[in-house]
Amino acid sequence: MQTLGNRQSLAAILKTRRQKLAEQVSCPVILWSGRSSARNFPANVYPFRASSHFLYFAGLPLENAVIRLEAGQLLLFMDDASPDSALWHGESPNRGAIAAEIGADEALPLSELRHWLAGTGTIAVQDPKNYFYQASLLERMLAPATRPQNLDLEVTKAIITLRLSHDQAALAEIRQAAQVSIQAHRAGMAATRNAQIEAAVRAEIEAVFTANQMTCAYGSIVTVHGEVLHNDRYHHALRSGDLLLVDAGAETATGWAADITRTWPVSGQFSPTQRAIYDVVLAAHDACIAAIRPGVEYREIHLLGARMIAAGLIDLGILKGQPDDLVEQDAHALFFPHGIGHLLGLDVHDMEDLGDQAGYAEGRTRSDRFGLGYLRLDRPLQTGMVVTIEPGFYQVPAILNDPERRARYQDVVSWERLTQFSDVRGIRIEDDVLVTTTGSEVLTADLPTTATAIEEIICA
Ligand code: GLY
Ligand code: MN
Ligand code: MN
């Protein structure tokens, strides 16, 4: 398998990416990797994460390094580590060695960068402090990455074009992240019946990432309160009768992500009400994945998922009416308030640092509809894209107890019937799907989704 970890091929992979970039832009491109920031004092820093745009073309998470890309050529600007650094952090390769590894044509100290800035375009980094440092390095003002101007806009569009469809090297990395994430979820499932609190399951999951020299692609969600969509607390007790929602994905050393959610019963057995809703979410998940192929609008996949959720809830007596009408009124969003998924790549929400420029096709903007406003991707699917499919069902008090919404939807929700499903606070099922020339491949398919298969793993 060819991977970015296979150093012999790294330079060749990066060269191809540079050549493709050269076909898309008229100007040289400068990308800065970023710097770590202080956590509570300067010597105690947050783990460094290089800019994803830098990683795409440089392949290595180099700190405080700049690459300049022009007509397929690569210049690397970085300073060699100081003797002090060797004392505290050990020896590191010098810039000449790094340049050879990534196939740079030349390696220069950062101080030389000022001679190479004229007429270049870039992408601003995220962190405000680093953003000002980047502006000083580039000796000009920078608009935020969400609103680039002039050459920066041209560069942003070119990089989006490249990063939307993954090459084989990127896919090899995403597959590795996916396999480790699957192993991690299995470890979490295996640990659940003996765990007392959410944190104990989280520890088992993240231990697998660490043992495989990977990190979390995002803050793991391991919670019996799945209705809190991005829950970041882990202190709750695990009780028989609870569902545990786990959304956790690994990131490879060169930055590529996976993003998987499974929801399982703490006891090893779904209650009849939990299983009924689980099967509604799974039917939506399966139908959406079956609909994926090049040319299909992702928005249509989202609406299909919404109709499937609505239809399932009608069958259970929770919603009343026709699926199409309910989706038209956004009634599905009472229980499925987010989008069906997003792009996946070097970022778990790939290129979301650019706002909606990557997620939304040119000329499209976010809807202000309750049932569409959180859709992160609104483009026709194309071969080589990796997207997530992640339908869910949640009972979010802030939504369901909102007097305005209750009044608006009083005739289409059977509130009394809903009370019988009070042991279902949140269910999500999320897989990572590659768009192929003829359809799709589920990169996370080795982790089962059916209720029965999940019960078997928990009880094994
Ligand atoms: N893990 C965050 C998400 O699924 O979008
Ligand atoms: Mn996701
Ligand atoms: Mn997720």
Side-chain angles (χ1 to χ4, degrees):
M1 185 163 59
Q2 187 189 39
T3 75
L4 291 187
N6 172 354
R7 296 299 173 215
Q8 273 187 321
S9 62
L10 177 62
I13 292 159
L14 300 176
K15 185 166 189 195
T16 305
R17 290 182 186 163
R18 289 201 299 278
Q19 284 166 340
K20 286 191 179 160
L21 179 69
E23 289 162 17
Q24 301 277 337
V25 285
S26 63
C27 61
V29 176
I30 297 257
L31 295 169
W32 179 52
S33 63
R35 292 190 307 182
S36 59
S37 43
R39 188 166 165 267
N40 46 351
F41 54 89
N44 192 18
V45 293
Y46 287 108
F48 172 66
R49 173 53 158 79
S51 140
S52 294
H53 305 295
F54 176 92
L55 280 171
Y56 188 77
F57 294 103
L60 297 177
L62 308 170
E63 193 166 345
N64 198 17
V66 171
I67 50 174
R68 185 182 187 278
L69 309 159
E70 182 177 19
Q73 301 291 299
L74 167 61
L75 298 187
L76 172 69
F77 297 86
M78 66 180 289
D79 292 335
D80 285 335
S82 66
D84 250 16
S85 164
L87 170 63
W88 296 105
H89 307 292
E91 298 288 341
S92 41
N94 65 23
R95 80 175 154 262
I98 293 169
E101 190 171 359
I102 67 175
D105 298 280
E106 208 175 335
L108 298 161
L110 263 179
S111 58
E112 291 294 310
L113 179 64
R114 61 197 175 89
H115 302 302
W116 295 86
L117 295 173
T120 59
T122 194
I123 296 182
V125 297
Q126 289 292 290
D127 169 57
K129 201 167 150 209
N130 272 340
Y131 169 80
F132 287 112
Y133 182 79
Q134 182 186 18
S136 73
L137 267 180
L138 271 59
E139 299 182 355
R140 66 179 169 97
M141 298 294 290
L142 289 171
T146 50
R147 284 182 278 115
Q149 290 158 17
N150 307 319
L151 291 179
D152 296 344
L153 177 61
E154 183 185 331
V155 165
T156 300
K157 286 184 177 175
I159 291 181
I160 289 171
T161 303
L162 261 64
R163 287 184 55 192
L164 275 177
S165 283
H166 296 302
D167 55 30
Q168 289 307 313
L171 290 174
E173 288 280 312
I174 296 172
R175 285 179 200 280
Q176 286 186 2
Q179 286 311 313
V180 169
S181 304
I182 289 168
Q183 201 186 319
H185 274 253
R186 286 185 181 276
M189 289 176 185
T192 298
R193 286 212 299 169
N194 289 326
Q196 305 298 313
I197 60 169
E198 295 156 338
V201 178
R202 176 194 180 196
E204 296 294 327
I205 290 167
E206 295 186 2
V208 175
F209 296 167
T210 307
N212 284 277
Q213 301 182 73
M214 294 193 188
T215 55
C216 296
Y218 50 93
S220 305
I221 300 166
V222 183
T223 184
V224 292
H225 284 282
E227 77 279 13
V228 180
L229 293 184
H230 281 172
N231 205 325
D232 57 0
R233 293 166 182 220
Y234 311 97
H235 62 277
H236 299 109
L238 304 183
R239 298 201 174 89
S240 181
D242 282 337
L243 288 177
L244 186 66
L245 186 152
V246 172
D247 184 346
E251 178 173 309
T252 68
T254 52
W256 297 88
D259 183 8
I260 302 180
T261 308
R262 291 291 184 270
T263 309
W264 60 80
V266 167
S267 67
Q269 198 166 18
F270 289 94
S271 73
T273 41
Q274 290 169 343
R275 187 166 181 143
I277 302 262
Y278 188 92
D279 286 343
V280 168
V281 177
L282 184 59
H285 164 276
D286 292 352
C288 289
I289 290 176
I292 289 184
R293 60 181 181 281
V296 170
E297 289 285 350
Y298 191 75
R299 189 177 196 272
E300 291 304 321
I301 306 270
H302 172 76
L303 290 169
L304 170 62
R307 283 195 301 277
M308 293 293 294
I309 297 278
L313 297 183
I314 293 167
D315 290 345
L316 293 178
I318 295 172
L319 284 177
K320 296 180 269 188
Q322 296 302 316
D324 285 342
D325 297 341
L326 292 171
V327 171
E328 190 87 355
Q329 296 171 52
D330 293 328
H332 67 281
L334 290 167
F335 304 103
F336 170 43
H338 58 74
I340 195 70
H342 48 84
L343 294 165
L344 180 71
L346 277 164
D347 310 297
V348 64
H349 293 173
D350 210 25
M351 297 181 274
E352 208 169 276
D353 60 316
L354 307 175
D356 281 338
Q357 293 175 99
Y360 275 58
E362 196 118 15
R364 297 185 188 177
T365 52
R366 291 243 181 177
S367 165
D368 54 12
R369 269 179 59 180
F370 174 41
L372 278 172
Y374 290 116
L375 188 57
R376 292 190 146 95
L377 176 59
D378 185 5
R379 281 184 177 274
L381 295 173
Q382 61 192 57
T383 306
M385 274 182 177
V386 177
V387 297
T388 66
I389 291 296
E390 49 181 303
F393 170 95
Y394 315 88
Q395 297 204 53
V396 182
I399 293 178
L400 298 179
N401 297 335
D402 172 30
E404 251 177 58
R405 288 212 170 93
R406 272 191 100 97
R408 175 159 180 220
Y409 295 111
Q410 67 171 346
D411 294 339
V412 298
V413 178
S414 171
W415 299 100
E416 198 186 312
R417 176 75 175 136
L418 185 62
T419 58
Q420 291 167 14
F421 292 86
S422 61
D423 66 346
V424 188
R425 291 190 288 267
I427 291 176
R428 178 163 65 255
I429 307 169
E430 176 175 29
D431 278 305
D432 303 340
V433 186
L434 167 67
V435 183
T436 63
T437 48
T438 52
S440 72
E441 178 190 344
V442 181
L443 302 179
T444 44
D446 289 346
L447 190 63
T449 51
T450 66
T452 304
I454 285 185
E455 285 178 344
E456 276 168 15
I457 299 175
I458 307 290
C459 294

